[in-house]
Amino acid sequence: MKKPQRTAIKQALSAEQGGELCVKGWVRSVRRGKDVSFITLNDGSSFSSLQLVLSPELPNYSLVSRLGTGASLSANGTLVESPAAGQRWELQVSEAQILGAADDSYPLQKKRHSFEFLRSIAHLRPRSNSFGAVFRMRSALSFAVHQFFHERGFLHVQTPIITANDCEGAGEMFRVTTLAADQPPQQKGTVDWSQDFFGQRTGLTVSGQLQAELFATAFSDVYTFGPTFRAENSNTSRHAAEFWMIEPEIAFADLADDCRLGEEFLRYMVTYALENCQEDLSFFNQRIEKGLLDKLEALAGAEFRTITYSEAVELLLKAQQTFEFPVRWGCDLQSEHERYLTEQVFNGPLFVVDYPKQIKAFYMRLNDDRKTVAAMDLLVPRVGEIIGGSQREERLDVLRARMAECGVAEEHLGWYLDIRRWGSCPHAGFGLGFERLLMYLTGMENIRDVIPFPRTPGHAEF
Ligand code: 4AD
Ligand code: MG
């Protein structure tokens, strides 16, 4: 007789009726008894594991019932109603095959491990409860990103990873080169990049925005969702050197339209998680951030407030709290300021708009006061800045003047200026850090714990 195909444990656990099936997975625990033994088996398809019931009649009973945590196992049997509390089904095993044994040096034994320790075994941590939940959420939410834009008719564009442009102008690009590291060709005392692979100096992208703008001036509504890289040496719990960013770009739109899209997008993500990731979310709610579910439900219906940067500075100057970084008009808002505003003053999501031009990138549209630009940051409690965006400068002369002011050379940006030469139109967009979103939705406190293999200063081992 043909053996049944593998059934995912998630499917087995939600079966309508019992029957014969085959499951495969990794052993979470073994309880050995005199007349019967139990194994909990998990295959990553759901948070819950399936209980296997083994009787001594199995030909390899003594081996299987001595399996270590982490071993991989294939089991055929009958799904029957479970007498045990908290689970509907269990599997009466008729045949078990050990696929890969694991001895007691397996680092993920039953006890609870610190996230720090689990980071040092990033190759095994996906098999733990917490990281199983994180990476299932990550996958579900990544799908939801595409669904959100697809439903709204946005074009998905893949922007390049290797680029010659430092979009943010912050000098945080990783270099991409095939020149010899020890003896690069020189010209007039500096490296001669014209001899490099691309004939110019290139690096890994810090943002897909500039190219997304080009596509928005042809397809109106577009988005890109890909990896971005920043060689910024800030060892914080919210910064990674490699992270994923979602960047919509919309034509015929101003800053208010941009904020509306950001709000709608965040609300959609929260609602999607509440509706589709219940099991994992309830784990986060119990074990990672108490009250998470209430917070997310509140956010799904919350009013997003908007204040200007100048109003934010006034609120900070009036605060009954001393900050490590003193505040004055013109300074960049630090994480402590952002968190004070969104947590203490507004206790909810907050758009801050119209920042001083000198602390923002060259492409943001100059406001009529000529001191501020049409920028927006969305701040949320606990995470701080989750979205950064702006209306773009569509006026060629103003843009060129801003580039000169910011020291951005026109040499490699002729194409960017061209779309202001022919058929220029008002447009806007934003970038949302996918990991920051996941931190917000899961309650995880460190960005290293929501990305499969984190890259931070000093770390790229896995
Ligand atoms: O504010 P940023 O630097 O904006 C841009 O890159 C624009 N070009 C986006 C656009 O308008 N299309 O970054 C956008 C978001 C931040 O709000 C934050 O969520 C995330 O990207 N981000 C990081 N996430 C993790 N690690 C880092 N080092 C990050 N830097 C930014
Ligand atoms: Mg920003």
Side-chain angles (χ1 to χ4, degrees):
M1 206 180 84
K2 215 171 138 237
K3 282 199 179 148
Q5 293 245 315
R6 180 175 79 87
T7 299
I9 286 175
K10 178 184 183 167
Q11 255 175 299
L13 290 171
S14 59
E16 295 283 310
Q17 55 189 53
E20 294 294 300
L21 51 81
C22 164
V23 292
K24 301 182 188 199
W26 293 269
V27 172
R28 281 291 172 85
S29 68
V30 181
R31 256 187 311 135
R32 193 177 150 84
K34 215 165 100 235
D35 307 317
V36 64
S37 293
F38 299 99
I39 286 181
T40 46
L41 197 72
N42 190 285
D43 65 0
S45 59
S46 68
F47 189 88
S48 304
S49 302
L50 179 65
Q51 171 155 282
L52 311 185
V53 186
L54 309 155
S55 97
E57 276 136 51
L58 282 175
N60 52 356
Y61 180 75
S62 67
L63 279 176
V64 178
S65 61
R66 282 194 175 81
L67 272 179
T69 302
S72 123
L73 182 73
S74 168
N76 296 322
T78 316
L79 196 67
V80 299
E81 303 245 358
S82 172
Q87 57 189 22
R88 175 153 178 228
W89 299 111
E90 61 186 27
L91 192 76
Q92 294 281 352
V93 176
S94 55
E95 190 186 343
Q97 189 191 353
I98 300 167
L99 301 175
D103 61 21
D104 56 15
S105 64
Y106 179 63
L108 277 178
Q109 297 297 332
K110 260 205 101 181
K111 76 179 187 67
R112 213 170 159 184
H113 300 284
S114 72
F115 288 144
E116 239 158 17
F117 167 72
L118 290 168
R119 251 171 252 152
S120 74
I121 52 165
H123 55 309
L124 296 170
R125 70 177 183 169
R127 293 194 204 168
S128 69
N129 273 335
S130 305
F131 288 94
V134 165
F135 296 127
R136 267 189 304 276
M137 278 277 281
R138 189 175 166 113
S139 169
L141 266 295
S142 157
F143 176 77
V145 168
H146 292 294
Q147 185 164 283
F148 173 86
F149 290 113
H150 181 77
E151 283 173 3
R152 283 157 187 77
F154 279 60
L155 180 116
H156 179 205
V157 51
Q158 287 86 19
T159 48
I161 290 181
I162 299 175
T163 170
N165 304 106
D166 180 359
C167 170
E168 294 307 299
E172 289 165 348
M173 281 176 98
F174 284 100
R175 196 173 303 159
V176 172
T177 177
T178 51
L179 295 180
D182 47 350
Q183 276 188 322
Q186 305 273 323
Q187 197 191 33
K188 294 186 195 142
T190 60
V191 176
D192 181 9
W193 297 106
S194 71
Q195 292 191 46
D196 203 354
F197 190 92
F198 297 105
Q200 60 181 318
R201 195 180 169 131
T202 54
L204 296 176
T205 185
V206 298
S207 159
Q209 176 196 321
L210 302 187
Q211 292 90 350
E213 280 188 56
L214 304 186
F215 266 59
T217 59
F219 299 96
S220 308
D221 298 322
V222 307
Y223 73 104
T224 177
F225 178 17
T228 43
F229 308 86
R230 296 196 185 177
E232 116 192 79
N233 200 359
S234 46
N235 238 320
T236 79
S237 58
R238 306 174 319 124
H239 289 88
E242 176 178 307
F243 62 98
W244 283 63
M245 190 158 38
I246 296 135
E247 295 181 276
E249 194 67 35
I250 44 179
F252 317 114
D254 62 12
L255 189 67
D257 298 319
D258 203 30
C259 292
R260 238 183 329 269
L261 181 66
E263 175 171 343
E264 202 190 333
F265 180 67
L266 188 61
R267 226 189 270 288
Y268 186 96
M269 290 297 123
V270 170
T271 310
Y272 187 94
L274 287 169
E275 286 172 0
N276 296 279
C277 310
Q278 287 150 347
E279 201 188 17
D280 293 324
L281 272 182
S282 68
F283 166 79
F284 294 126
N285 188 52
Q286 273 168 28
R287 300 290 283 271
I288 307 293
E289 182 185 343
K290 296 256 178 303
L292 175 73
L293 282 174
D294 291 341
K295 178 188 89 175
L296 295 181
E297 265 150 29
L299 186 97
E303 181 194 354
F304 285 36
R305 305 287 298 273
T306 303
I307 57 170
T308 63
Y309 168 89
S310 302
E311 288 164 344
V313 168
E314 265 171 50
L315 287 169
L316 290 165
L317 288 172
K318 275 197 287 196
Q320 304 290 319
Q321 184 173 328
T322 42
F323 297 111
E324 190 190 331
F325 296 89
V327 180
R328 53 171 180 81
W329 198 95
C331 75
D332 210 353
L333 297 185
Q334 302 293 325
S335 168
E336 54 171 348
H337 308 135
E338 296 176 341
R339 292 190 57 171
Y340 171 80
L341 292 169
T342 179
E343 288 168 15
Q344 309 294 322
V345 186
F346 292 95
N347 189 28
L350 174 69
F351 282 110
V352 179
V353 299
D354 298 335
Y355 283 78
K357 63 175 181 179
Q358 62 271 22
I359 56 170
K360 290 291 184 186
F362 73 94
Y363 52 72
M364 298 192 180
R365 192 177 196 279
L366 192 63
N367 286 327
D368 291 343
D369 63 13
R370 306 196 80 77
K371 287 199 299 240
T372 60
V373 286
M376 63 97 151
D377 276 4
L378 177 61
L379 315 178
V380 293
R382 235 177 37 80
V383 173
E385 178 193 337
I386 194 164
I387 286 182
S390 72
Q391 184 172 343
R392 318 306 189 191
E393 184 55 76
E394 85 284 11
R395 298 161 295 186
L396 180 63
D397 52 338
V398 185
L399 180 58
R400 295 181 74 175
R402 279 290 291 146
M403 285 167 75
E405 223 171 66
C406 298
V408 177
E410 286 191 19
E411 191 188 341
H412 298 300
L413 284 174
W415 47 271
Y416 188 71
L417 293 171
D418 273 353
I419 58 168
R420 276 79 180 168
R421 286 196 175 97
W422 301 299
S424 190
C425 68
H427 60 290
F430 65 77
L432 176 139
F434 190 45
E435 287 73 23
R436 299 244 177 117
L437 174 70
L438 288 168
M439 288 169 73
Y440 189 68
L441 293 177
T442 60
M444 297 295 280
E445 288 187 344
N446 197 309
I447 196 164
R448 293 164 182 79
D449 297 331
V450 293
I451 188 162
F453 301 102
R455 269 85 181 96
T456 51
H459 292 286
E461 40 292 62
F462 294 95

